[in-house]
Amino acid sequence: MAAIQSSPYSKTESYVDNKRKDDIRMANINAARSVADAVRTSLGPKGMDKMISTASGEVIITNDGATILNKMEVLQPAAKFLVELSKSQDIVAGDGTTTVVVIAGALLKQCQTLLSAGVHPTVISEALHKVSLKSIDVLTAMSVPVELSDRESLIKSASTSLNSKVVSQYSSLLAPLAVDAVLNVVDPVKPDLVDLRDVKIVKKLGGTVDDTELVKGLVFDKKVSHASGRLTRVENAKIGVIQFQISPPKTDIEQSIVVSDYTQMDRILKEERNYILGMIKKIKATGCNVLLIQKSILRDAVTELSLHYLAKAKILVVKDVERDEIEFITKTLNCLPIANIEHFRAEKLGFADLVEEVSLGERKIVKITGIKEMGRTTTVLVRGSNQLVLDEAERSLHDALCVVRCLVNKKFLIAGGGAPEIELSRQLGAWAKVLQGMEGYCVKSFAEALEVIPYTLAENAGLNPILIVTELRNRHAQGEINAGINVRKGQITNILEENVVQPLLVSTSAISLATECVRMILKIDDIVTVR
């Protein structure tokens, strides 16, 4: 930093070169804005999709902001903030991941104008903070309360979330499915909390998204293990979840046992057989007729021999159950995992009406239905004609589930279609006139920045954005709070009546997270690299 002093004895520096600080701030803002512009075209129901090609040759088609930014390799440190921003929006609300980045980009553009006009970054930052608090009040005032018993409203907000996805034509099927899935796992003791880990999404290639279904029970994406006996259906099942191996024991360390004659070899095989038979008899004694066996690293969880004896004992086996699925399975079946054959007792088993292997095209799955005293979990079986559609259907369903979860947490709905943003812009603009000095000037420019959402919605739908936004402003000034852009009809209508609604939490968290991120970028005046 160059400092030229007026005289060798002067205590104060008369000139400080601040150019570097301004350059770095501008570079940060430009980098972050370019990231925002990259996802801007995929905003809204008529937004474009992005095709992402990864280094490993994998191709992903999506228009979910969080997914796009997550896969982008962003090198500039400030631009990484926007990637983190969409991630945090995904965690808090699950939807609105593109919106939050677009708002941040627009706010940064206004900051650039204010900075070049000579406004101090701290003043801008303080004004932004006030704007964010005021915005949340305005949004809360225009929201509509909703009850969880009002299934129609929940379905409307879930389908609004799905309408901007690649699988939007299936929203009439996926929206009710998401609502039912979340309502199934809501615990009456803690009605405000929903853990989405209790909703398991199983993807199976084949069929179309139309074949997606909600299963009250468990689905395993594997077939029944059968050495012989072809047992594929068990009624009145008693299910044991085991974490031990039904195979002959091995030594703990790598050892080779040398057998010199056949009698010894026969003895070893006979011992092995007796060992396995002893285990299976203990299992059979409890009345268990379905076994779910956890994957084992140390040695084979089951051998051909043990499968043969299990089939003879009329016990259906599903092997290679992943370790992280055990918790979900035991919660659903309301049973306990069994870690040792000695602890295998009837009271640790789960009970179900039917366990069967079902064919889906060429592939097979195992379904467990009619579980007695079933835990509060649910399984969604997603189908799709190819892997790209399957993955996108899963992401879209996750967003829809998150939207319903938002409504369980904060039971308020708000209009969509750019209505809340224009209303915010109008009210902040009016508020700016009351404020004094620099603050009012900053608030006014941030109010303008919020018009980016309706502008982009209109632009992506191929409408005339300037005409539409002007008309929107006019309608809102006349007191039509819920007037928004109807991209299907290409005109402005009352969006609440058109059933385009979203949870209040999505809008409020988008505004507060975007302003927080922009304030952080503004406060940075130097980048120090450490080797």
Side-chain angles (χ1 to χ4, degrees), residues 58-60 67 71 167 174 199-209 211-213 215 218-222 325 360 363-366 378-398:
E58 181 194 0
V59 174
I60 299 167
T67 313
K71 300 285 177 193
V167 289
L174 294 177
V199 179
K200 186 171 176 226
I201 299 179
V202 178
K203 296 184 290 186
K204 199 72 182 155
L205 204 58
T208 60
V209 182
D211 303 328
T212 301
E213 57 175 328
V215 181
L218 275 173
V219 173
F220 292 100
D221 183 10
K222 38 177 82 74
E325 286 178 15
L360 296 179
R363 304 203 166 92
K364 294 189 169 79
I365 58 166
V366 178
T378 187
T379 306
V380 180
L381 181 63
V382 179
R383 309 293 308 283
S385 52
N386 61 32
Q387 200 59 43
L388 296 177
V389 173
L390 249 188
D391 292 343
E392 184 58 15
E394 184 196 19
R395 280 192 289 271
S396 308
L397 195 58
H398 174 261

CSV table of all heavy atoms in Angstrom, one decimal, residues 58-60 67 71 167 174 199-209 211-213 215 218-222 325 360 363-366 378-398:
chain,number,residue,atom,x,y,z
A,58,GLU,N,-19.6,-39.0,-16.6
A,58,GLU,CA,-21.0,-39.1,-16.1
A,58,GLU,C,-21.8,-37.9,-16.6
A,58,GLU,O,-21.3,-36.8,-16.6
A,58,GLU,CB,-21.1,-39.2,-14.6
A,58,GLU,CG,-22.4,-39.4,-14.0
A,58,GLU,CD,-22.5,-39.2,-12.5
A,58,GLU,OE1,-21.4,-38.9,-11.9
A,58,GLU,OE2,-23.5,-39.2,-11.9
A,59,VAL,N,-23.0,-38.1,-17.0
A,59,VAL,CA,-23.8,-36.9,-17.5
A,59,VAL,C,-25.1,-36.7,-16.6
A,59,VAL,O,-25.7,-37.7,-16.3
A,59,VAL,CB,-24.3,-37.1,-19.0
A,59,VAL,CG1,-25.3,-36.0,-19.4
A,59,VAL,CG2,-23.1,-37.2,-19.9
A,60,ILE,N,-25.3,-35.5,-16.2
A,60,ILE,CA,-26.4,-35.2,-15.3
A,60,ILE,C,-27.3,-34.1,-16.0
A,60,ILE,O,-26.7,-33.1,-16.4
A,60,ILE,CB,-26.0,-34.7,-13.9
A,60,ILE,CG1,-25.1,-35.7,-13.2
A,60,ILE,CG2,-27.1,-34.3,-13.0
A,60,ILE,CD1,-24.3,-35.2,-12.1
A,67,THR,N,-27.8,-28.5,-7.3
A,67,THR,CA,-27.1,-29.6,-8.0
A,67,THR,C,-26.1,-29.0,-9.0
A,67,THR,O,-25.0,-29.4,-9.1
A,67,THR,CB,-28.1,-30.5,-8.7
A,67,THR,OG1,-29.1,-30.8,-7.8
A,67,THR,CG2,-27.4,-31.8,-9.1
A,71,LYS,N,-21.9,-29.2,-8.7
A,71,LYS,CA,-21.1,-29.9,-9.7
A,71,LYS,C,-20.1,-29.0,-10.4
A,71,LYS,O,-19.2,-29.4,-11.1
A,71,LYS,CB,-22.0,-30.6,-10.7
A,71,LYS,CG,-23.0,-31.6,-10.2
A,71,LYS,CD,-22.3,-32.9,-9.8
A,71,LYS,CE,-23.2,-33.9,-9.1
A,71,LYS,NZ,-22.6,-35.0,-8.4
A,167,VAL,N,-39.1,-33.2,-14.5
A,167,VAL,CA,-40.3,-34.2,-14.4
A,167,VAL,C,-41.6,-33.5,-14.1
A,167,VAL,O,-42.5,-34.1,-13.5
A,167,VAL,CB,-40.0,-35.3,-13.4
A,167,VAL,CG1,-38.9,-36.2,-13.8
A,167,VAL,CG2,-39.7,-34.7,-12.0
A,174,LEU,N,-46.5,-37.0,-8.4
A,174,LEU,CA,-45.5,-36.9,-7.3
A,174,LEU,C,-45.9,-36.0,-6.2
A,174,LEU,O,-45.4,-36.3,-5.0
A,174,LEU,CB,-44.2,-36.4,-8.0
A,174,LEU,CG,-43.5,-37.4,-9.0
A,174,LEU,CD1,-42.3,-36.7,-9.6
A,174,LEU,CD2,-43.1,-38.7,-8.4
A,199,VAL,N,-38.0,-41.1,5.3
A,199,VAL,CA,-38.5,-41.4,4.0
A,199,VAL,C,-37.4,-41.9,3.2
A,199,VAL,O,-36.5,-41.2,2.9
A,199,VAL,CB,-39.1,-40.1,3.4
A,199,VAL,CG1,-39.7,-40.4,2.0
A,199,VAL,CG2,-40.2,-39.5,4.3
A,200,LYS,N,-37.5,-43.2,2.8
A,200,LYS,CA,-36.5,-43.8,2.0
A,200,LYS,C,-36.9,-43.8,0.5
A,200,LYS,O,-38.0,-44.3,0.2
A,200,LYS,CB,-36.2,-45.2,2.5
A,200,LYS,CG,-35.0,-45.9,1.9
A,200,LYS,CD,-34.7,-47.2,2.6
A,200,LYS,CE,-33.6,-47.9,1.9
A,200,LYS,NZ,-33.8,-49.3,1.7
A,201,ILE,N,-36.0,-43.3,-0.3
A,201,ILE,CA,-36.3,-43.4,-1.7
A,201,ILE,C,-35.5,-44.5,-2.4
A,201,ILE,O,-34.3,-44.5,-2.3
A,201,ILE,CB,-36.0,-42.0,-2.4
A,201,ILE,CG1,-36.8,-40.9,-1.7
A,201,ILE,CG2,-36.2,-42.0,-3.9
A,201,ILE,CD1,-36.6,-39.5,-2.3
A,202,VAL,N,-36.2,-45.4,-3.0
A,202,VAL,CA,-35.5,-46.6,-3.6
A,202,VAL,C,-35.7,-46.4,-5.1
A,202,VAL,O,-36.8,-46.2,-5.6
A,202,VAL,CB,-36.1,-47.9,-3.2
A,202,VAL,CG1,-35.4,-49.1,-3.9
A,202,VAL,CG2,-36.0,-48.1,-1.7
A,203,LYS,N,-34.6,-46.3,-5.9
A,203,LYS,CA,-34.7,-46.1,-7.3
A,203,LYS,C,-34.6,-47.4,-8.0
A,203,LYS,O,-33.7,-48.3,-7.7
A,203,LYS,CB,-33.5,-45.2,-7.8
A,203,LYS,CG,-33.6,-43.8,-7.2
A,203,LYS,CD,-32.5,-42.9,-7.8
A,203,LYS,CE,-31.1,-43.3,-7.3
A,203,LYS,NZ,-30.1,-42.3,-7.7
A,204,LYS,N,-35.4,-47.6,-9.0
A,204,LYS,CA,-35.3,-48.9,-9.8
A,204,LYS,C,-35.5,-48.6,-11.3
A,204,LYS,O,-36.6,-48.0,-11.7
A,204,LYS,CB,-36.4,-49.9,-9.3
A,204,LYS,CG,-36.2,-51.3,-9.7
A,204,LYS,CD,-35.0,-51.9,-8.9
A,204,LYS,CE,-34.8,-53.3,-9.3
A,204,LYS,NZ,-33.4,-53.7,-9.1
A,205,LEU,N,-34.6,-48.9,-12.1
A,205,LEU,CA,-34.6,-48.6,-13.5
A,205,LEU,C,-35.7,-49.5,-14.2
A,205,LEU,O,-35.9,-50.6,-13.8
A,205,LEU,CB,-33.3,-49.0,-14.1
A,205,LEU,CG,-32.9,-48.3,-15.4
A,205,LEU,CD1,-32.9,-46.8,-15.2
A,205,LEU,CD2,-31.5,-48.7,-15.8
A,206,GLY,N,-36.4,-48.9,-15.1
A,206,GLY,CA,-37.5,-49.6,-15.9
A,206,GLY,C,-38.8,-48.9,-15.6
A,206,GLY,O,-39.0,-48.2,-14.6
A,207,GLY,N,-39.7,-49.1,-16.6
A,207,GLY,CA,-41.0,-48.5,-16.4
A,207,GLY,C,-40.9,-47.0,-16.7
A,207,GLY,O,-39.9,-46.5,-17.2
A,208,THR,N,-41.9,-46.2,-16.3
A,208,THR,CA,-41.8,-44.7,-16.4
A,208,THR,C,-42.0,-44.1,-15.0
A,208,THR,O,-42.3,-44.8,-14.1
A,208,THR,CB,-42.8,-44.2,-17.3
A,208,THR,OG1,-44.1,-44.5,-16.8
A,208,THR,CG2,-42.7,-44.7,-18.7
A,209,VAL,N,-41.9,-42.8,-14.9
A,209,VAL,CA,-42.1,-42.1,-13.6
A,209,VAL,C,-43.5,-42.3,-13.2
A,209,VAL,O,-43.8,-42.3,-12.0
A,209,VAL,CB,-41.8,-40.6,-13.8
A,209,VAL,CG1,-41.9,-39.9,-12.4
A,209,VAL,CG2,-40.3,-40.4,-14.3
A,211,ASP,N,-45.0,-45.0,-12.9
A,211,ASP,CA,-45.1,-46.2,-12.0
A,211,ASP,C,-44.5,-46.0,-10.6
A,211,ASP,O,-44.5,-47.0,-9.8
A,211,ASP,CB,-44.3,-47.4,-12.7
A,211,ASP,CG,-44.8,-47.7,-14.1
A,211,ASP,OD1,-46.0,-47.5,-14.3
A,211,ASP,OD2,-44.0,-48.0,-15.0
A,212,THR,N,-44.1,-44.8,-10.3
A,212,THR,CA,-43.6,-44.5,-9.0
A,212,THR,C,-44.7,-44.7,-8.0
A,212,THR,O,-45.9,-44.4,-8.2
A,212,THR,CB,-43.1,-43.0,-8.9
A,212,THR,OG1,-42.1,-42.9,-9.9
A,212,THR,CG2,-42.6,-42.7,-7.5
A,213,GLU,N,-44.4,-45.4,-6.8
A,213,GLU,CA,-45.4,-45.6,-5.8
A,213,GLU,C,-44.9,-45.5,-4.4
A,213,GLU,O,-43.7,-45.5,-4.2
A,213,GLU,CB,-46.0,-47.1,-6.0
A,213,GLU,CG,-44.9,-48.1,-5.9
A,213,GLU,CD,-45.5,-49.5,-6.0
A,213,GLU,OE1,-46.6,-49.8,-5.5
A,213,GLU,OE2,-44.8,-50.4,-6.5
A,215,VAL,N,-44.8,-47.0,-0.8
A,215,VAL,CA,-45.0,-48.4,-0.2
A,215,VAL,C,-45.0,-48.2,1.3
A,215,VAL,O,-44.1,-47.7,1.9
A,215,VAL,CB,-43.8,-49.3,-0.6
A,215,VAL,CG1,-44.0,-50.7,0.0
A,215,VAL,CG2,-43.7,-49.4,-2.1
A,218,LEU,N,-41.4,-52.0,3.6
A,218,LEU,CA,-40.0,-51.9,3.2
A,218,LEU,C,-39.8,-52.4,1.7
A,218,LEU,O,-40.5,-53.3,1.3
A,218,LEU,CB,-39.1,-52.8,4.1
A,218,LEU,CG,-38.7,-52.2,5.4
A,218,LEU,CD1,-38.0,-53.3,6.2
A,218,LEU,CD2,-37.7,-51.1,5.2
A,219,VAL,N,-38.9,-51.8,1.0
A,219,VAL,CA,-38.5,-52.3,-0.3
A,219,VAL,C,-37.0,-52.5,-0.4
A,219,VAL,O,-36.2,-51.6,0.1
A,219,VAL,CB,-38.9,-51.3,-1.4
A,219,VAL,CG1,-38.4,-51.8,-2.8
A,219,VAL,CG2,-40.4,-51.2,-1.4
A,220,PHE,N,-36.6,-53.7,-0.8
A,220,PHE,CA,-35.1,-53.9,-1.0
A,220,PHE,C,-34.8,-54.0,-2.5
A,220,PHE,O,-35.5,-54.8,-3.2
A,220,PHE,CB,-34.7,-55.2,-0.3
A,220,PHE,CG,-34.8,-55.2,1.2
A,220,PHE,CD1,-35.9,-55.7,1.9
A,220,PHE,CD2,-33.8,-54.5,1.9
A,220,PHE,CE1,-35.9,-55.6,3.2
A,220,PHE,CE2,-33.9,-54.4,3.3
A,220,PHE,CZ,-35.0,-55.0,4.0
A,221,ASP,N,-33.8,-53.3,-2.9
A,221,ASP,CA,-33.4,-53.3,-4.3
A,221,ASP,C,-32.6,-54.5,-4.6
A,221,ASP,O,-31.5,-54.3,-5.2
A,221,ASP,CB,-32.7,-52.0,-4.6
A,221,ASP,CG,-32.4,-51.8,-6.1
A,221,ASP,OD1,-32.9,-52.6,-6.8
A,221,ASP,OD2,-31.6,-50.9,-6.4
A,222,LYS,N,-33.0,-55.7,-4.2
A,222,LYS,CA,-32.2,-56.9,-4.5
A,222,LYS,C,-33.1,-58.1,-4.5
A,222,LYS,O,-34.2,-58.0,-4.0
A,222,LYS,CB,-31.1,-57.1,-3.5
A,222,LYS,CG,-31.4,-56.7,-2.0
A,222,LYS,CD,-30.3,-56.9,-1.1
A,222,LYS,CE,-29.2,-55.9,-1.1
A,222,LYS,NZ,-29.6,-54.6,-0.4
A,325,GLU,N,-28.4,-49.0,6.4
A,325,GLU,CA,-29.8,-49.2,6.2
A,325,GLU,C,-30.4,-49.9,7.5
A,325,GLU,O,-31.6,-49.9,7.6
A,325,GLU,CB,-30.1,-50.1,5.0
A,325,GLU,CG,-30.0,-49.3,3.7
A,325,GLU,CD,-30.2,-50.3,2.5
A,325,GLU,OE1,-30.8,-51.3,2.7
A,325,GLU,OE2,-29.8,-49.9,1.4
A,360,LEU,N,-40.0,-56.7,-11.5
A,360,LEU,CA,-40.2,-55.4,-12.2
A,360,LEU,C,-39.5,-55.5,-13.5
A,360,LEU,O,-38.3,-55.3,-13.5
A,360,LEU,CB,-39.7,-54.2,-11.4
A,360,LEU,CG,-40.4,-53.9,-10.0
A,360,LEU,CD1,-39.7,-52.8,-9.4
A,360,LEU,CD2,-41.8,-53.6,-10.2
A,363,ARG,N,-35.8,-57.1,-13.7
A,363,ARG,CA,-35.2,-57.1,-12.4
A,363,ARG,C,-36.2,-57.4,-11.3
A,363,ARG,O,-37.4,-57.4,-11.5
A,363,ARG,CB,-34.6,-55.7,-12.1
A,363,ARG,CG,-33.6,-55.3,-13.2
A,363,ARG,CD,-32.7,-54.2,-12.6
A,363,ARG,NE,-31.5,-54.1,-13.5
A,363,ARG,CZ,-31.5,-53.1,-14.5
A,363,ARG,NH1,-32.5,-52.3,-14.7
A,363,ARG,NH2,-30.5,-53.0,-15.3
A,364,LYS,N,-35.7,-57.8,-10.1
A,364,LYS,CA,-36.6,-58.2,-9.0
A,364,LYS,C,-36.3,-57.3,-7.8
A,364,LYS,O,-35.2,-56.8,-7.6
A,364,LYS,CB,-36.3,-59.6,-8.7
A,364,LYS,CG,-36.7,-60.6,-9.8
A,364,LYS,CD,-36.6,-62.0,-9.2
A,364,LYS,CE,-37.3,-63.0,-10.2
A,364,LYS,NZ,-36.4,-63.4,-11.3
A,365,ILE,N,-37.4,-57.1,-7.0
A,365,ILE,CA,-37.2,-56.4,-5.7
A,365,ILE,C,-37.9,-57.3,-4.6
A,365,ILE,O,-38.7,-58.1,-4.9
A,365,ILE,CB,-37.8,-55.0,-5.7
A,365,ILE,CG1,-39.3,-55.1,-6.1
A,365,ILE,CG2,-37.0,-54.1,-6.6
A,365,ILE,CD1,-40.0,-53.8,-5.8
A,366,VAL,N,-37.6,-57.0,-3.4
A,366,VAL,CA,-38.2,-57.7,-2.3
A,366,VAL,C,-39.1,-56.7,-1.5
A,366,VAL,O,-38.6,-55.6,-1.2
A,366,VAL,CB,-37.2,-58.3,-1.3
A,366,VAL,CG1,-37.9,-59.0,-0.1
A,366,VAL,CG2,-36.3,-59.3,-2.0
A,378,THR,N,-41.6,-44.4,5.9
A,378,THR,CA,-42.3,-44.8,4.6
A,378,THR,C,-41.2,-44.9,3.5
A,378,THR,O,-40.1,-44.3,3.6
A,378,THR,CB,-43.3,-43.7,4.3
A,378,THR,OG1,-44.1,-44.1,3.2
A,378,THR,CG2,-42.7,-42.4,4.0
A,379,THR,N,-41.6,-45.7,2.5
A,379,THR,CA,-40.6,-45.9,1.4
A,379,THR,C,-41.3,-45.5,0.1
A,379,THR,O,-42.5,-45.8,-0.1
A,379,THR,CB,-40.3,-47.4,1.3
A,379,THR,OG1,-39.8,-47.8,2.6
A,379,THR,CG2,-39.2,-47.7,0.3
A,380,VAL,N,-40.5,-44.8,-0.8
A,380,VAL,CA,-41.0,-44.4,-2.1
A,380,VAL,C,-40.2,-45.2,-3.1
A,380,VAL,O,-39.0,-45.1,-3.1
A,380,VAL,CB,-40.9,-42.9,-2.3
A,380,VAL,CG1,-41.4,-42.5,-3.7
A,380,VAL,CG2,-41.6,-42.1,-1.2
A,381,LEU,N,-40.9,-45.9,-4.0
A,381,LEU,CA,-40.2,-46.7,-5.0
A,381,LEU,C,-40.3,-45.8,-6.3
A,381,LEU,O,-41.4,-45.6,-6.9
A,381,LEU,CB,-40.9,-48.0,-5.2
A,381,LEU,CG,-40.3,-48.9,-6.3
A,381,LEU,CD1,-38.9,-49.3,-6.0
A,381,LEU,CD2,-41.1,-50.2,-6.5
A,382,VAL,N,-39.2,-45.3,-6.7
A,382,VAL,CA,-39.2,-44.4,-7.9
A,382,VAL,C,-38.7,-45.2,-9.1
A,382,VAL,O,-37.8,-45.9,-9.1
A,382,VAL,CB,-38.1,-43.2,-7.7
A,382,VAL,CG1,-38.1,-42.3,-8.9
A,382,VAL,CG2,-38.5,-42.4,-6.5
A,383,ARG,N,-39.5,-45.0,-10.2
A,383,ARG,CA,-39.2,-45.7,-11.5
A,383,ARG,C,-38.9,-44.7,-12.5
A,383,ARG,O,-39.3,-43.6,-12.5
A,383,ARG,CB,-40.4,-46.6,-11.9
A,383,ARG,CG,-41.0,-47.5,-10.9
A,383,ARG,CD,-40.1,-48.6,-10.5
A,383,ARG,NE,-39.6,-49.3,-11.7
A,383,ARG,CZ,-40.3,-50.2,-12.4
A,383,ARG,NH1,-41.5,-50.5,-12.0
A,383,ARG,NH2,-39.8,-50.9,-13.4
A,384,GLY,N,-38.1,-45.1,-13.6
A,384,GLY,CA,-37.8,-44.2,-14.6
A,384,GLY,C,-37.2,-45.0,-15.8
A,384,GLY,O,-36.6,-46.1,-15.6
A,385,SER,N,-37.3,-44.4,-17.0
A,385,SER,CA,-36.9,-45.2,-18.2
A,385,SER,C,-35.4,-45.2,-18.4
A,385,SER,O,-34.9,-46.0,-19.0
A,385,SER,CB,-37.6,-44.5,-19.4
A,385,SER,OG,-37.4,-43.1,-19.4
A,386,ASN,N,-34.7,-44.1,-17.9
A,386,ASN,CA,-33.2,-44.2,-17.9
A,386,ASN,C,-32.7,-43.6,-16.6
A,386,ASN,O,-33.4,-42.9,-15.9
A,386,ASN,CB,-32.7,-43.5,-19.2
A,386,ASN,CG,-33.0,-42.1,-19.3
A,386,ASN,OD1,-33.2,-41.4,-18.3
A,386,ASN,ND2,-33.2,-41.6,-20.5
A,387,GLN,N,-31.4,-43.7,-16.5
A,387,GLN,CA,-30.7,-43.3,-15.2
A,387,GLN,C,-30.9,-41.8,-15.0
A,387,GLN,O,-31.0,-41.3,-13.9
A,387,GLN,CB,-29.3,-43.7,-15.2
A,387,GLN,CG,-28.6,-43.8,-13.9
A,387,GLN,CD,-29.3,-44.7,-12.9
A,387,GLN,OE1,-29.6,-45.8,-13.3
A,387,GLN,NE2,-29.5,-44.3,-11.7
A,388,LEU,N,-30.8,-41.0,-16.1
A,388,LEU,CA,-30.9,-39.5,-16.0
A,388,LEU,C,-32.2,-39.1,-15.4
A,388,LEU,O,-32.3,-38.3,-14.5
A,388,LEU,CB,-30.7,-38.8,-17.3
A,388,LEU,CG,-29.3,-39.0,-18.0
A,388,LEU,CD1,-29.3,-38.4,-19.4
A,388,LEU,CD2,-28.2,-38.5,-17.1
A,389,VAL,N,-33.3,-39.7,-16.0
A,389,VAL,CA,-34.7,-39.4,-15.5
A,389,VAL,C,-34.8,-39.8,-14.0
A,389,VAL,O,-35.4,-39.1,-13.2
A,389,VAL,CB,-35.7,-40.1,-16.4
A,389,VAL,CG1,-37.1,-39.9,-15.9
A,389,VAL,CG2,-35.6,-39.5,-17.8
A,390,LEU,N,-34.3,-41.0,-13.7
A,390,LEU,CA,-34.4,-41.6,-12.4
A,390,LEU,C,-33.8,-40.6,-11.4
A,390,LEU,O,-34.4,-40.3,-10.3
A,390,LEU,CB,-33.6,-42.9,-12.3
A,390,LEU,CG,-34.5,-44.2,-12.1
A,390,LEU,CD1,-33.6,-45.3,-11.9
A,390,LEU,CD2,-35.5,-44.0,-11.0
A,391,ASP,N,-32.5,-40.2,-11.7
A,391,ASP,CA,-31.8,-39.3,-10.7
A,391,ASP,C,-32.6,-38.0,-10.6
A,391,ASP,O,-32.7,-37.5,-9.5
A,391,ASP,CB,-30.4,-39.0,-11.2
A,391,ASP,CG,-29.5,-40.3,-11.1
A,391,ASP,OD1,-30.0,-41.2,-10.4
A,391,ASP,OD2,-28.5,-40.4,-11.8
A,392,GLU,N,-33.1,-37.4,-11.7
A,392,GLU,CA,-33.7,-36.2,-11.6
A,392,GLU,C,-35.1,-36.3,-10.9
A,392,GLU,O,-35.5,-35.4,-10.1
A,392,GLU,CB,-33.9,-35.6,-13.0
A,392,GLU,CG,-34.5,-34.2,-13.1
A,392,GLU,CD,-33.8,-33.1,-12.4
A,392,GLU,OE1,-32.6,-33.3,-12.0
A,392,GLU,OE2,-34.4,-32.1,-12.1
A,393,ALA,N,-35.7,-37.4,-11.1
A,393,ALA,CA,-37.0,-37.7,-10.3
A,393,ALA,C,-36.7,-37.7,-8.8
A,393,ALA,O,-37.5,-37.2,-8.0
A,393,ALA,CB,-37.6,-39.0,-10.8
A,394,GLU,N,-35.6,-38.3,-8.5
A,394,GLU,CA,-35.3,-38.4,-7.1
A,394,GLU,C,-35.0,-37.0,-6.5
A,394,GLU,O,-35.5,-36.7,-5.4
A,394,GLU,CB,-34.0,-39.3,-6.8
A,394,GLU,CG,-33.7,-39.5,-5.4
A,394,GLU,CD,-32.3,-40.0,-5.1
A,394,GLU,OE1,-31.5,-40.0,-6.0
A,394,GLU,OE2,-32.1,-40.5,-4.0
A,395,ARG,N,-34.2,-36.2,-7.2
A,395,ARG,CA,-33.9,-34.9,-6.8
A,395,ARG,C,-35.2,-34.0,-6.6
A,395,ARG,O,-35.4,-33.3,-5.7
A,395,ARG,CB,-32.9,-34.2,-7.7
A,395,ARG,CG,-31.5,-34.6,-7.5
A,395,ARG,CD,-30.6,-33.7,-8.3
A,395,ARG,NE,-30.7,-33.9,-9.7
A,395,ARG,CZ,-29.9,-34.8,-10.4
A,395,ARG,NH1,-29.1,-35.5,-9.7
A,395,ARG,NH2,-30.1,-34.9,-11.7
A,396,SER,N,-36.1,-34.2,-7.6
A,396,SER,CA,-37.3,-33.4,-7.6
A,396,SER,C,-38.2,-33.8,-6.5
A,396,SER,O,-38.8,-33.0,-5.8
A,396,SER,CB,-38.1,-33.6,-8.9
A,396,SER,OG,-37.3,-33.3,-10.0
A,397,LEU,N,-38.2,-35.1,-6.2
A,397,LEU,CA,-39.1,-35.6,-5.1
A,397,LEU,C,-38.5,-35.1,-3.8
A,397,LEU,O,-39.3,-34.8,-2.9
A,397,LEU,CB,-39.1,-37.2,-5.2
A,397,LEU,CG,-40.1,-37.9,-4.3
A,397,LEU,CD1,-41.5,-37.4,-4.8
A,397,LEU,CD2,-40.0,-39.4,-4.5
A,398,HIS,N,-37.2,-35.1,-3.7
A,398,HIS,CA,-36.6,-34.6,-2.5
A,398,HIS,C,-37.0,-33.1,-2.2
A,398,HIS,O,-37.3,-32.7,-1.1
A,398,HIS,CB,-35.0,-34.7,-2.6
A,398,HIS,CG,-34.3,-34.1,-1.4
A,398,HIS,ND1,-33.7,-32.8,-1.5
A,398,HIS,CD2,-34.1,-34.5,-0.2
A,398,HIS,CE1,-33.2,-32.5,-0.3
A,398,HIS,NE2,-33.4,-33.5,0.5
